[in-house]
Amino acid sequence: MRHLPPFTETIKGNKTGTDLSTLNTRSVKCDTYSSVFLPNSNMLWKAFLLSALLALGAQARDGLFGFQDDTLFSPWSDLATAESRNQPRDIETMTERDREPLSPDYKDPSERKNEEPVLGSKPKQPSFDESLIPGGVIDIPAGGFPPIFGDPFRIPNERPVGGIFDFDSDELGIPGLNGQNPGGLFGSFFSSLGELRPWWKGPNVCIEREESTDDETAEEGRESPKNETETEEVPNFFATSVSLSNCHQTPTKYECVTKVNNHGVVKTFTVRYKCCYGFARQDGSSGCTKRVELKPVLETLTDLNANEFKKLIEDNGAGERFKNENLTLFAPLDQSMNEYNEKMNQFNDLNPTDLRKKSDFRSILSTDELIWNHVTDGFVDLTELVNEEIIYNENKNNSIRINNYPTQNYDRLVTANCKRIAKANNLASNGIVHLVDGVITPVKESVQDIIRNDPRLSNLLKVLESTDLLKKFKDEGHYTVFAPTNEAFEKLEPSTRDKLLKGEKCAKSIISHHVTAHTVCSVAIIGNSTTHNVDGEILNMERTLDDQLNLENKAKIIETDIMGTNGVIHLIDAVIIPESALFINEALKNENLTKFQEIIERAGLTDEINNLDNATVFAPSDEAFKKESAKKILEEIGDDQEKLKEFVRYHTVQGKIQSCDMNNNAILKSLDNDKPLRVNLYSTLPIFSNILFKATVNCAKVSGFDEKTCGSVIHEVNRVLAPPKQSILQVIKGDPKYSKIQKIIEGTEIEDILGQENRTITFLAPTDETLAALDEDQLKSLEDKDKAVEILKTHILTEILCCTGVGPQTWGFNSLVPTLSDQNLQIGRTGSHQIRIGRGVVTSCDNLATNGVVHSINKVFFPTRQVTTNVGGYFLFDF
């Protein structure tokens, strides 16, 4: 359960009351990490963001946001130099496609069949320093590496945390605003102290230039001619010409992509610098000065000691093709080939029936399939491929999924179909060889098809079908399924297993807890590692010293890396029930809300509460039950079963109301015969009054919030809740310490106001002791009924003010609350935790009434002339 941060607090004015009793938040997109403390932005907040954007734009030298380099964040690239960032873009020289020749033997990777061009296909995101994060992190979005901390200017996919199977893992970004301007305002100055000449300006560097045009005025179905512009258009002040640029580099490439929008005609200019084929970079040198000795791919296999795979090729009579074509090989290590051959020998001893019972019978391949499953056409440089990129091999175009994972040593782990790349990018005269620690088997089925066809996962299939989750998988997605086997389901309690198989209650939450929206290969789990499932919840994984893989410390991963065309499956030996899928009673125990949980059991409501669906529980903390007010309430209830039920039901409302769904002055109908609960919100920051809130329920502070349970949510409150039974007027008349004020208001407009049930007000009630301290003239003013009405209107606030909502006074910021008179009152909490209102101190807080709340006050507020305070010519802010 998340708890409130200790923000500086000021008061927020109330809004119109709202009845949330019928709210069904299942259809509401609610980010539980933002909660009530992050509502919709007001104009001031928008102005702040706009100012930040303008400030960033002002420091950009090229285009609107001319950020060009991500190298500071990338352990895979050299630090950018001043010249690399300040290099002028000669747009005129880029108006035509200009590709300088590479090696005569070079075949462009973009010519690989069934693929988009590798170079420039996707801009890479900067990687991050995983050493700053405890354990390993395997949340790598498709397309690249994320930064350590989220970029405030990135626009994430619209996905509510907690939404079921919003599987899109890519993010949208504003070009040039992706954290790739190292050093910010001062980055250019400090980077200029480094190397004056960038490596890509040195010798043996080849250049590719490309231009593409996206003419928004082109007719549908007709390609717009190059350089075509409109002859007539509506003038637009703000869309004359805008240039957006983004540059990034890898150890072997520097690339800049510039988009120019000229009156609606969008052109993209791409310039790439890379080592010419057969040359490589050397540390400390400019350009590509190291000449690589290029041999044919078969000889390169010999040099790399991949002799078993070479022998397999030659024995199968496929050597001629490897001599005459440009190919990329994912060559298994000799050890991997030997292990594979041993496994095949074991399979030869099994009869067909026993063989089908083996989970890895899919790995049985013919020699021809085995060879071409490791070969793809053209030149595939792994440094040019992004995370989750798919390439296709020569074995009937089966897919090979490339994944990149960060490591502790500022490097990255690269896998091909979850097999570790042991040594990448070994150049040959007619191809590239990558050494693979494992044998790559064909991938023909999707993740969902594998689950359908594997008899060990029939129970999982039932749950996926009964909850409609199977339909959520997309063929083009990237998934990891930690799949419980049938034996894992057998370990569950029979009633839980039956509900799960039927798709009842929290079956959807339980199963989606086992799925991620990205590929997690087993080799990436090193030590303690974390990732996020499709509901946004953290999954903890561990590799023990004896090489055992565990999930959430509750299940063992018993079989790994069953590859599908859209992800990977790992088999586990237990079904994991997340906290968000626990029944309410169990969740209360987990959150140490044991006193309230015990009362539920005493009232005989355990089953009723556990079976609630789409409900909200305001559970008092154990400390709340130690207060005298709580003891008095429980003494009145005693062992009366019906009163205990009313007590529990009053703390429960229909509708799953998360903190971000709460509105100020909202009336919630409890399950205790619709008796109301009142929610109030108070801002916790000066100036930004609509950004961060503190919440109260019946003036009890919401101290913990948004603990998800099976279909419901729990909020912790610091007080026991009891329904008010009297109006403010009845409270005053029933309390002897208000006898004098009762006589003063008798027969006046104030008496009528305090008794009106349709109002929501706060009455600052002077006690008899307070009135006794007045001088003779002040008492005479109160004896005059007309004057008394005017005076006491200053004691009636037009909104609900709970003591919890009063924050500390902040110099320069006055927190004011409106009254029924023309005078506003300044409020604040002093260092001694006294609550001051005007010149008075609240001596007794939060006496709830049906139409508001009563506070005892030690001063009478006589009308005074307001003076606006200023210091040094600047007005103090009043909020």
Side-chain angles (χ1 to χ4, degrees):
M1 183 174 291
R2 291 174 288 280
H3 293 270
L4 305 185
F7 287 113
T8 303
E9 302 164 342
T10 54
I11 293 299
K12 172 189 179 296
N14 283 358
K15 299 177 183 177
T16 305
T18 306
D19 185 354
L20 296 182
S21 59
T22 60
L23 179 64
N24 184 334
T25 59
R26 286 180 170 181
S27 61
V28 178
K29 294 184 177 180
C30 183
D31 185 347
T32 58
Y33 291 99
S34 62
S35 71
V36 292
F37 316 101
L38 290 175
N40 291 332
S41 303
N42 59 11
M43 292 299 293
L44 188 59
W45 180 242
K46 292 178 181 177
F48 170 76
L49 288 179
L50 180 59
S51 300
L53 286 169
L54 291 175
L56 287 170
Q59 63 170 295
R61 290 182 299 275
D62 298 300
L64 184 59
F65 298 112
F67 301 163
Q68 297 184 19
D69 209 336
D70 65 352
T71 53
L72 185 64
F73 296 90
S74 176
W76 271 66
S77 53
D78 295 341
L79 291 177
T81 64
E83 185 175 344
S84 69
R85 280 189 293 276
N86 294 324
Q87 192 66 28
R89 297 188 188 87
D90 187 357
I91 299 297
E92 304 222 348
T93 64
M94 300 163 60
T95 55
E96 294 182 6
R97 180 180 178 91
D98 179 9
R99 176 170 173 144
E100 295 187 15
L102 303 178
S103 168
D105 299 326
Y106 178 72
K107 183 175 181 180
D108 196 299
S110 64
E111 296 176 11
R112 297 196 313 271
K113 61 184 177 182
N114 299 325
E115 289 221 57
E116 295 294 325
V118 174
L119 295 179
S121 60
K122 296 182 182 177
K124 294 186 181 178
Q125 300 175 356
S127 60
F128 61 87
D129 180 0
E130 191 203 13
S131 65
L132 300 180
I133 303 175
V137 178
I138 323 184
D139 270 345
I140 308 300
F145 284 53
I148 297 179
F149 303 110
D151 189 336
F153 295 102
R154 289 188 65 76
I155 306 173
N157 280 336
E158 184 180 0
R159 180 200 302 177
V161 177
I164 297 293
F165 279 71
D166 189 356
F167 280 155
D168 296 332
S169 60
D170 292 339
E171 289 185 341
L172 302 177
I174 303 175
L177 280 180
N178 53 5
Q180 296 177 348
N181 186 25
L185 193 60
F186 305 103
S188 296
F189 172 76
F190 288 108
S191 63
S192 66
L193 300 179
E195 179 185 11
L196 294 179
R197 183 177 178 84
W199 70 265
W200 42 272
K201 285 293 184 180
N204 302 317
V205 175
C206 290
I207 307 170
E208 295 178 3
R209 293 188 177 97
E210 293 181 4
E211 172 195 341
S212 63
T213 303
D214 179 16
D215 190 345
E216 296 176 355
T217 65
E219 297 178 7
E220 185 174 351
R222 179 178 65 87
E223 185 178 352
S224 176
K226 186 182 294 186
N227 299 327
E228 176 184 310
T229 58
E230 294 183 73
T231 57
E232 186 177 347
E233 60 182 56
V234 179
N236 188 334
F237 255 153
F238 303 101
T240 55
S241 182
V242 178
S243 172
L244 302 174
S245 298
N246 181 25
C247 296
H248 67 278
Q249 68 174 312
T250 70
T252 58
K253 183 186 72 172
Y254 183 85
E255 177 177 284
C256 283
V257 179
T258 301
K259 287 183 176 291
V260 178
N261 185 334
N262 188 11
H263 295 283
V265 179
V266 180
K267 292 188 177 183
T268 301
F269 301 97
T270 303
V271 179
R272 303 183 194 93
Y273 299 81
K274 63 182 182 180
C275 291
C276 296
Y277 197 81
F279 291 88
R281 295 182 57 195
Q282 284 184 316
D283 293 339
S285 65
S286 177
C288 304
T289 56
K290 181 180 179 181
R291 181 181 291 275
V292 179
E293 182 182 358
L294 300 180
K295 299 180 180 179
V297 290
L298 292 181
E299 293 183 30
T300 303
L301 287 176
T302 301
D303 293 343
L304 294 173
N305 293 319
N307 297 307
E308 292 295 329
F309 189 65
K310 179 185 178 183
K311 183 174 184 298
L312 187 69
I313 293 172
E314 292 175 338
D315 289 349
N316 197 51
E320 285 302 313
R321 185 173 174 186
F322 285 88
K323 295 177 183 178
N324 299 327
E325 297 184 22
N326 295 329
L327 301 171
T328 294
L329 281 62
F330 292 86
L333 298 172
D334 282 354
Q335 180 181 352
S336 300
M337 286 296 300
N338 292 332
E339 291 174 354
Y340 176 82
N341 290 331
E342 289 178 9
K343 185 186 295 184
M344 293 304 102
N345 291 333
Q346 294 174 3
F347 285 162
N348 291 334
D349 298 332
L350 296 174
N351 60 51
T353 302
D354 293 334
L355 180 59
R356 289 188 179 88
K357 295 179 181 179
K358 289 286 185 179
S359 60
D360 48 2
F361 72 91
R362 298 183 185 88
S363 61
I364 300 177
L365 304 174
S366 68
T367 304
D368 193 62
E369 289 177 320
L370 180 60
I371 293 172
W372 298 112
N373 210 60
H374 293 81
V375 179
T376 186
D377 186 35
F379 293 72
V380 180
D381 184 345
L382 291 184
T383 63
E384 304 293 343
L385 302 186
V386 296
N387 189 48
E388 304 284 15
E389 187 157 348
I390 304 295
I391 59 177
Y392 297 91
N393 62 32
E394 292 296 293
N395 179 26
K396 302 176 183 178
N397 268 352
N398 282 311
S399 63
I400 299 177
R401 178 179 295 270
I402 302 299
N403 286 104
N404 301 319
Y405 302 99
T407 64
Q408 294 282 4
N409 60 351
Y410 297 89
D411 208 335
R412 67 175 177 176
L413 171 67
V414 184
T415 63
N417 278 5
C418 283
K419 304 298 183 183
R420 182 178 65 89
I421 301 296
K423 189 175 181 182
N425 293 333
N426 302 280
L427 302 184
S429 59
N430 63 326
I432 301 178
V433 177
H434 311 293
L435 292 183
V436 185
D437 189 5
V439 172
I440 299 176
T441 54
V443 178
K444 302 176 181 179
E445 298 177 308
S446 66
V447 164
Q448 53 270 38
D449 286 336
I450 293 173
I451 295 173
R452 287 190 185 100
N453 298 327
D454 194 326
R456 298 169 299 170
L457 302 177
S458 58
N459 283 337
L460 175 62
L461 178 62
K462 288 180 183 177
V463 183
L464 288 171
E465 290 177 337
S466 62
T467 56
D468 284 334
L469 290 182
L470 199 64
K471 299 177 182 177
K472 299 293 183 179
F473 288 93
K474 302 173 184 176
D475 288 339
E476 67 276 11
H478 319 287
Y479 309 119
T480 300
V481 180
F482 295 96
T485 62
N486 292 342
E487 288 76 10
F489 279 87
E490 291 300 321
K491 296 178 182 179
L492 295 172
E493 292 291 330
S495 59
T496 303
R497 181 174 63 251
D498 291 342
K499 289 181 179 179
L500 194 55
L501 293 176
K502 293 177 182 177
E504 296 177 357
K505 291 299 288 181
C506 286
K508 185 175 288 187
S509 296
I510 292 172
I511 296 304
S512 63
H513 186 75
H514 296 71
V515 182
T516 77
H518 45 270
T519 305
V520 178
C521 295
S522 63
V523 293
I525 304 174
I526 302 172
N528 293 315
S529 303
T530 60
T531 189
H532 285 79
N533 65 20
V534 293
D535 283 344
E537 296 177 341
I538 292 176
L539 290 177
N540 293 300
M541 301 165 290
E542 177 192 18
R543 184 183 294 273
T544 63
L545 294 177
D546 58 354
D547 208 32
Q548 173 61 54
L549 296 178
N550 297 324
L551 180 65
E552 294 281 275
N553 289 322
K554 297 176 181 177
K556 293 181 179 179
I557 301 177
I558 56 178
E559 185 173 332
T560 62
D561 302 329
I562 302 173
M563 291 302 303
T565 55
N566 56 346
V568 65
I569 295 175
H570 307 296
L571 302 187
I572 59 176
D573 68 349
V575 179
I576 297 174
I577 310 293
E579 290 186 3
S580 59
L582 293 175
F583 290 125
I584 292 176
N585 216 38
E586 296 170 323
L588 290 171
K589 288 180 182 178
N590 275 9
E591 293 299 322
N592 294 319
L593 301 171
T594 55
K595 298 293 184 183
F596 187 64
Q597 184 263 334
E598 289 169 4
I599 291 178
I600 292 175
E601 292 182 351
R602 282 175 56 196
L605 291 178
T606 301
D607 290 340
E608 178 182 317
I609 293 297
N610 283 342
N611 289 328
L612 286 176
D613 193 21
N614 194 32
T616 301
V617 177
F618 295 99
S621 64
D622 285 359
E623 289 297 319
F625 284 96
K626 297 178 182 179
K627 297 179 179 179
E628 290 301 321
S629 58
K631 293 178 180 178
K632 183 179 179 181
I633 292 172
L634 292 179
E635 285 174 4
E636 293 176 356
I637 293 175
D639 293 326
D640 189 318
Q641 196 80 354
E642 287 304 314
K643 289 184 177 179
L644 283 172
K645 289 180 179 180
E646 291 173 359
F647 177 85
V648 172
R649 288 167 179 161
Y650 185 68
H651 288 76
T652 310
V653 300
Q654 187 63 42
K656 185 178 177 182
I657 303 169
Q658 299 184 73
S659 54
C660 57
D661 300 313
M662 294 181 181
N663 290 314
N664 187 54
N665 218 31
I667 302 299
L668 311 178
K669 294 179 181 179
S670 72
L671 297 186
D672 180 18
N673 298 314
D674 289 343
K675 291 178 182 177
L677 295 165
R678 186 185 299 276
V679 174
N680 287 101
L681 306 180
Y682 302 93
S683 68
T684 60
L685 286 178
I687 301 182
F688 302 109
S689 57
N690 289 330
I691 296 176
L692 298 172
F693 289 151
K694 173 184 289 183
T696 64
V697 179
N698 281 16
C699 283
K701 179 181 178 181
V702 181
S703 54
F705 53 94
D706 292 338
E707 179 61 30
K708 294 181 183 178
T709 69
C710 184
S712 299
V713 65
I714 298 173
H715 305 294
E716 181 182 333
V717 293
N718 71 342
R719 245 186 262 168
V720 168
L721 306 180
K725 300 177 181 178
Q726 298 177 313
S727 67
I728 291 177
L729 181 62
Q730 291 169 328
V731 169
I732 296 298
K733 288 184 175 181
D735 196 326
K737 68 174 176 281
Y738 300 130
S739 60
K740 291 184 179 181
I741 197 67
Q742 177 187 342
K743 292 179 181 179
I744 293 173
I745 67 174
E746 189 173 355
T748 67
E749 180 186 353
I750 299 299
E751 184 179 41
D752 181 58
I753 292 172
L754 298 182
Q756 291 176 0
E757 290 290 349
N758 61 343
R759 285 184 178 268
T760 53
I761 56 178
T762 300
F763 183 46
L764 307 175
T767 63
D768 290 355
E769 183 180 356
T770 299
L771 293 173
L774 297 178
D775 60 34
E776 186 175 348
D777 291 339
Q778 291 173 329
L779 286 172
K780 285 183 179 180
S781 297
L782 290 173
E783 290 172 1
D784 185 319
K785 293 292 186 180
D786 292 335
K787 289 184 178 179
V789 168
E790 293 305 314
I791 293 170
L792 291 178
K793 280 186 176 180
T794 309
H795 293 71
I796 300 176
L797 309 183
T798 58
E799 57 189 45
I800 299 293
L801 175 63
C802 299
C803 288
T804 295
V806 180
Q809 290 178 321
T810 305
W811 186 91
F813 299 95
N814 295 332
S815 298
L816 302 177
V817 290
T819 68
L820 285 182
S821 69
D822 293 333
Q823 184 174 347
N824 294 333
L825 295 177
Q826 183 177 340
I827 62 175
R829 190 185 297 268
T830 66
S832 60
H833 299 291
Q834 285 184 334
I835 294 174
R836 302 190 66 85
I837 301 180
R839 298 178 307 280
V841 174
V842 174
T843 58
S844 176
C845 272
D846 298 338
N847 195 341
L848 290 181
T850 54
N851 58 344
V853 63
V854 179
H855 305 306
S856 297
I857 196 79
N858 71 347
K859 291 285 183 183
V860 177
F861 306 133
F862 291 93
T864 60
R865 180 171 172 270
Q866 283 188 293
V867 179
T868 303
T869 309
N870 69 83
V871 177
Y874 292 95
F875 289 100
L876 295 180
F877 298 100
D878 291 332
F879 291 92

